[in-house]
Amino acid sequence: MPPPALSRPLPPHPLRAGTALAGLTACLFAALPVRAQGPSLAVEDTMTTEVPEVLVRAPRVTLDEILDRVARGEARRDSLLKDQSFTATLRIMRNTAGKGTPELLAESVHKVYKKKPDLIRTVRLRVYEKYPEKDGDGMAEADFSPGMGERIVNFALQPENRRNYRFTIEDRKLLGDHLIYTLRFEPRSSLAVSEPSGRLWVDTREFVIVRQEIEFRQSPVPLFLKSIKRMVVERTRTGDFWVLSRALVRMELTIPMPRIGKTFDFGMSFTDYTINTSLPDSLFESTDRPDRANRVRVGSGKRSGS
Amino acid sequence: MPWRTAGDSAVTDSSRATARDSSRAPADSSFDSYMHGLSDSTDTWFGATATPLDTTGLDSALAAALALPPGKQLRRTDKGFPIEFTPAPGYNRADGAQLGVGASMSRGIPGRISGRAQYTTGTKDVIGDASWDGAFRLRKSRTRLALRAAVGRWTEVADRDSYDPVVTTMASLVFGGDLHQYLRRDGWRASARWDRDRVWAALAWRDQLESSLPFTTDWALFGSQELDTNFTAAYGRVHELGITGELPVPGTRFRVQAGHWTSAPKWGSAFDYNRTLVAAGGDLSLGKHFAFVPQASYGRLHGEVLPQNPFFFGGAPNVRQLDRNEWSSAGRTFGRADLMLVDDLHELLHLPLPAWMPLHVSAFVASGAAWGRDPVTNQARPTKRDWPNSSEWLSETGLTLAWRTGIPDPTSSLRFEYTEPLGATGRTARYTVVYQQPLHLLRMR
């Protein structure tokens, strides 16, 4: 029921009319350009409106509940994925900070097909290297695993890791009908100064992680790596699923390395997703593939290749 | 809005205009523009690294690659010779220099086959091994199984609890600071390791002929070898079963490791012993700047006490006031607690130090005892006691300045320590340099 006081007309009052006139005059004078008194000030004219208040009596969801639901949301997301394909781009840029112009050092593009339980086919589409090597893997050579769990996004919430991190709610945002929580995580151990900490953006509509920023208090390998300046992991929505769209990291070395320099970026982007399109098994006929632990790996599991 | 609290923030500028008229706009528009705003800021920050992919020619490349059967598109390394070779140099004061080559192959086979052959300049012998190892992830679980089998001739140290080949070799080469005792082992060994999350267990078997080695070197870059003899290992074929494992202590950041090695004549072994080692340690955070790191270990040898199976006492692995491996015993216990300032000193004190030299300070107190030991020779002998007498304890305290290098583990440091003995031991204060991690008693892998 609307408040009756607001709908009742106010009776005329002699003082109110005079005050209004004086106010109007003051406004007119204030609006006139007076060069000697400095710049004129704009008046905020944004239209405002009143809405009736709604008192919500439901208890606010706790942090533990959020973490549980995110872990379940991530597990549910993984369980619903049957197969997927995407185009993966790995890129290494040098001279990305300080003097000098950023320069592409290596880039590779692969088409990756995955199907549960452990099928994978990787098709190399393009490789560029500024300094190609005759033997050995290229700088941007990639090796993918059949897993679709995207541990790079949810590693802090994995059962074996969750107890090692302290989580806090840093922010909440109501955006349309999405409630976005920003959760901060950091290692519980103060000894773990070189382990990652950061922020997770969680969409509570599906309780999935939609973005992550990672930072390192101290370098994990200070002898060679001065700092990891910034690391961002983003997801994008494809159909009903949130999928890894890119991971970017900028690193600074203690001593300039030949061909690499002192600062470099490493970027992975994943585009052109198709999900649950019933990829045929014939696409994945198994092949003998060597174990390549030294390659960049995304996810985990058994591999076969193109 | 009554559901907004002090911790909540307003919608960002980029999405405010859309949010204002949410009755007409699609429900996701403010969310999408917020996410795009974050993504755009990432683009700006990373610049060229974040630019979209040039897709020219990718469709035709994909069509051509898919026209080939799976497995026909090879990498560069798939085309060459399938065996990779690496140099295999080494040095210790028994063998002298070890000059050799290693080879490995993993293409076309499950797991990896590797081998190594070295000529030793001191003993003028050929040592080496051939091994296979493989790791398998068990389906639909986070469990991993690693298998390994090896056959060969090895030069190994008697102290099986704490040996770092890289640091020992460097110390031996540079200033002759190698106080390990070496023996020869010929035969084979195999192991299976199961791990899941923070829990692991391993089962190992070895069938090896153990024999002694001479001392053959007297050279070091800056001086001569500190120890100019090598011990005489008991000769015999050992059949040994080893069980090791690690468990986390629930609700804490502490871990417990345990290992038991047994050898019995009924298995065809020349030796009869049971060797047990238990270690525990972890860290407690004291605010954001300090960490308290306690750790302890207990070891006990029952049965035959051989020169090559006792517990060694003294030096970097335990009490600093003794030389490395100065004593050996049938029983050993040791505990140490460090209070560490985790902040980098050069940032905290604004010291003009390079970034590759993060320094940390800590204070420690330690105490340990070795029993089942001849009081004259300080070498191990059998005992029935499972705990030391009060007179057998050695305690000490000290300060550490650590340069954290992060290799091979992020917590690995070169530690400069000042140690002051506690009690009337008659020993004096010592300066030592060691390369280790804070939880160095948890060494089983």
Side-chain angles (χ1 to χ4, degrees):
Chain A
M1 190 168 64
L6 287 178
S7 59
R8 195 187 326 139
L10 291 169
H13 193 284
L15 265 180
R16 185 169 290 123
T19 309
L21 187 63
L24 183 63
T25 311
C27 285
L28 282 171
F29 275 104
L32 286 173
V34 183
R35 288 173 194 272
Q37 293 179 355
S40 60
L41 299 173
V43 176
E44 179 59 53
D45 61 352
T46 307
M47 192 170 67
T48 58
T49 183
E50 290 286 333
V51 292
E53 289 189 347
V54 179
L55 183 62
V56 179
R57 289 192 181 277
R60 174 165 280 168
V61 64
T62 64
L63 177 59
D64 275 344
E65 228 175 321
I66 294 170
L67 296 175
D68 286 342
R69 287 191 195 182
V70 174
R72 285 202 301 270
E74 289 287 322
R76 181 176 174 275
R77 173 200 165 278
D78 188 28
S79 71
L80 292 175
L81 286 166
K82 305 299 177 201
D83 63 59
Q84 65 177 199
S85 73
F86 55 84
T87 303
T89 308
L90 272 68
R91 189 178 284 169
I92 302 172
M93 302 281 295
R94 68 176 183 181
N95 291 335
T96 49
K99 294 176 184 174
T101 314
E103 189 178 14
L104 182 63
L105 205 55
E107 183 183 82
S108 69
V109 185
H110 293 81
K111 188 74 181 178
V112 182
Y113 300 90
K114 295 183 179 185
K115 186 174 184 178
K116 282 186 176 174
D118 57 1
L119 296 175
I120 183 164
R121 183 172 179 183
T122 307
V123 179
R124 190 176 61 239
L125 302 179
R126 187 166 71 208
V127 173
Y128 165 81
E129 284 170 26
K130 188 169 175 61
Y131 304 105
E133 293 175 18
K134 286 181 183 173
D135 301 315
D137 290 343
M139 291 180 85
E141 195 63 84
D143 204 8
F144 299 88
S145 78
M148 300 182 220
E150 299 183 354
R151 286 178 66 96
I152 192 173
V153 182
N154 54 34
F155 68 91
L157 288 163
Q158 292 289 321
E160 68 271 24
N161 282 342
R162 189 169 146 186
R163 75 193 80 176
N164 295 333
Y165 288 97
R166 183 183 295 112
F167 293 85
T168 49
I169 297 174
E170 197 174 78
D171 196 12
R172 302 180 194 85
K173 282 184 172 61
L174 188 63
L175 302 163
D177 56 352
H178 291 256
L179 177 60
I180 307 296
Y181 275 90
T182 309
L183 307 180
R184 175 150 190 90
F185 66 95
E186 51 190 22
R188 283 186 184 276
S189 168
S190 56
L191 199 61
V193 288
S194 57
E195 286 187 13
S197 55
R199 289 183 182 82
L200 297 168
W201 278 256
V202 173
D203 182 4
T204 56
R205 220 196 222 185
E206 294 157 275
F207 281 96
V208 290
I209 299 165
V210 294
R211 181 185 170 85
Q212 180 174 224
E213 290 197 4
I214 297 168
E215 56 203 49
F216 294 81
R217 196 172 151 195
Q218 291 179 19
S219 164
V221 196
L223 200 59
F224 299 118
L225 188 62
K226 185 177 178 182
S227 65
I228 298 172
K229 288 186 169 292
R230 192 175 183 196
M231 183 171 174
V232 178
V233 179
E234 291 180 348
R235 269 180 169 171
T236 189
R237 192 173 181 81
T238 299
D240 294 334
F241 294 92
W242 282 93
V243 287
L244 180 64
S245 63
R246 61 180 177 175
L248 298 159
V249 58
R250 176 164 297 174
M251 289 179 267
E252 185 177 4
L253 301 170
T254 51
I255 303 164
M257 296 270 288
R259 297 184 177 180
I260 293 176
K262 200 161 184 190
T263 57
F264 68 97
D265 285 5
F266 182 81
M268 295 187 288
S269 79
F270 305 90
T271 53
D272 304 330
Y273 272 95
T274 66
I275 292 173
N276 292 348
T277 53
S278 301
L279 294 173
D281 284 355
S282 58
L283 186 67
F284 301 95
E285 279 176 16
S286 86
T287 54
D288 293 326
R289 289 304 311 274
D291 188 358
R292 296 173 187 281
N294 57 337
R295 288 218 177 102
V296 174
R297 301 201 59 202
V298 181
S300 58
K302 202 173 82 179
R303 282 155 285 149
S304 69
S306 171
Chain B
M1 292 189 295
W3 58 82
R4 179 180 279 181
T5 66
D8 298 338
S9 70
V11 174
T12 55
D13 291 343
S14 59
S15 60
R16 186 172 287 150
T18 322
R20 206 182 291 150
D21 197 5
S22 59
S23 60
R24 281 179 293 174
D28 281 0
S29 61
S30 57
F31 170 71
D32 288 343
S33 60
Y34 172 70
M35 294 306 297
H36 287 147
L38 290 172
S39 193
D40 289 347
S41 75
T42 306
D43 287 345
T44 307
W45 202 91
F46 280 97
T49 312
T51 52
L53 170 68
D54 175 9
T55 57
T56 310
L58 294 184
D59 287 344
S60 55
L62 178 62
L66 288 179
L68 297 169
K72 293 297 177 188
Q73 190 195 32
L74 298 175
R75 299 171 194 266
R76 268 177 305 192
T77 47
D78 295 336
K79 295 174 186 168
F81 193 60
I83 301 176
E84 293 175 7
F85 292 95
T86 52
Y91 182 84
N92 65 57
R93 61 187 193 82
D95 281 338
Q98 299 166 330
L99 309 171
V101 65
S104 66
M105 187 180 81
S106 56
R107 198 182 314 165
I109 55 166
R112 189 175 72 118
I113 292 175
S114 58
R116 183 178 51 104
Q118 294 171 308
Y119 174 72
T120 59
T121 59
T123 48
K124 301 193 186 315
D125 199 356
V126 176
I127 60 172
D129 59 27
S131 66
W132 172 87
D133 61 83
F136 308 92
R137 190 171 292 277
L138 305 181
R139 279 189 182 185
K140 294 183 179 178
S141 76
R142 300 190 299 276
T143 304
R144 185 171 169 272
L145 181 68
L147 303 173
R148 180 176 167 81
V151 58
R153 159 170 283 199
W154 295 273
T155 297
E156 294 186 325
V157 295
D159 182 5
R160 59 170 81 186
D161 304 321
S162 51
Y163 170 61
D164 187 324
V166 176
V167 173
T168 305
T169 302
M170 293 294 288
S172 179
L173 267 174
V174 176
F175 59 91
D178 177 6
L179 301 179
H180 279 287
Q181 306 287 357
Y182 291 86
L183 75 154
R184 170 64 37 85
R185 286 192 171 121
D186 296 279
W188 65 274
R189 55 196 180 198
S191 64
R193 178 191 157 110
W194 170 95
D195 69 64
R196 179 179 173 144
D197 300 344
R198 295 166 69 205
V199 180
W200 63 263
L203 192 67
W205 174 263
R206 68 184 179 98
D207 176 351
Q208 292 176 318
L209 179 67
E210 297 187 334
S211 56
S212 58
L213 279 172
F215 165 76
T216 65
T217 60
D218 56 6
W219 176 91
L221 195 59
F222 301 106
S224 58
Q225 294 290 337
E226 284 181 36
L227 198 59
D228 59 4
T229 57
N230 192 32
F231 83 141
T232 304
Y235 182 85
R237 179 163 289 278
V238 63
H239 292 171
E240 185 192 84
L241 176 70
I243 303 167
T244 49
E246 178 179 309
L247 276 172
V249 179
T252 71
R253 291 193 299 280
F254 281 71
R255 295 178 285 149
V256 178
Q257 289 188 342
H260 182 76
W261 299 267
T262 182
S263 169
K266 64 184 175 186
W267 297 340
S269 181
F271 307 125
D272 187 1
Y273 61 83
N274 283 290
R275 191 177 192 277
T276 307
L277 180 65
V278 181
D283 71 280
L284 296 164
S285 299
L286 305 175
K288 283 195 170 181
H289 302 285
F290 289 95
F292 180 61
V293 187
Q295 55 189 322
S297 73
Y298 174 87
R300 182 77 176 92
L301 174 65
H302 291 276
E304 279 185 88
V305 176
L306 308 169
Q308 60 262 42
N309 72 352
F311 294 97
F312 288 87
F313 197 60
N318 36 66
V319 289
R320 301 284 197 264
Q321 55 188 293
L322 297 178
D323 283 336
R324 172 80 189 232
N325 297 353
E326 190 174 333
W327 296 355
S328 65
S329 61
R332 182 189 67 196
T333 186
F334 176 73
R336 174 172 165 137
D338 288 71
L339 181 64
M340 304 176 67
L341 176 66
V342 298
D343 296 287
D344 180 1
L345 278 187
H346 108 264
E347 282 178 9
L348 199 69
L349 304 176
H350 305 290
L351 298 175
L353 291 170
W356 47 266
M357 193 183 262
L359 296 177
H360 304 269
V361 289
S362 58
F364 69 89
V365 60
S367 189
W371 70 99
R373 163 179 62 89
D374 187 306
V376 178
T377 63
N378 284 322
Q379 298 305 300
R381 69 178 186 186
T383 181
K384 290 186 176 176
R385 283 189 293 135
D386 290 327
W387 193 249
N389 292 326
S390 57
S391 61
E392 289 170 318
W393 288 89
L394 290 176
S395 300
E396 59 196 19
T397 186
L399 294 169
T400 303
L401 180 67
W403 166 24
R404 191 173 66 82
T405 61
I407 298 171
D409 180 274
T411 59
S412 296
S413 307
L414 185 64
R415 304 167 74 149
F416 303 88
E417 296 198 335
Y418 170 79
T419 307
E420 183 74 39
L422 296 174
T425 62
R427 298 177 186 277
T428 55
R430 274 196 168 195
Y431 293 94
T432 49
V433 181
V434 295
Y435 192 82
Q436 61 186 200
Q437 299 158 12
L439 285 167
H440 62 271
L441 295 183
L442 303 174
R443 288 187 64 92
M444 290 182 219
R445 294 286 179 267

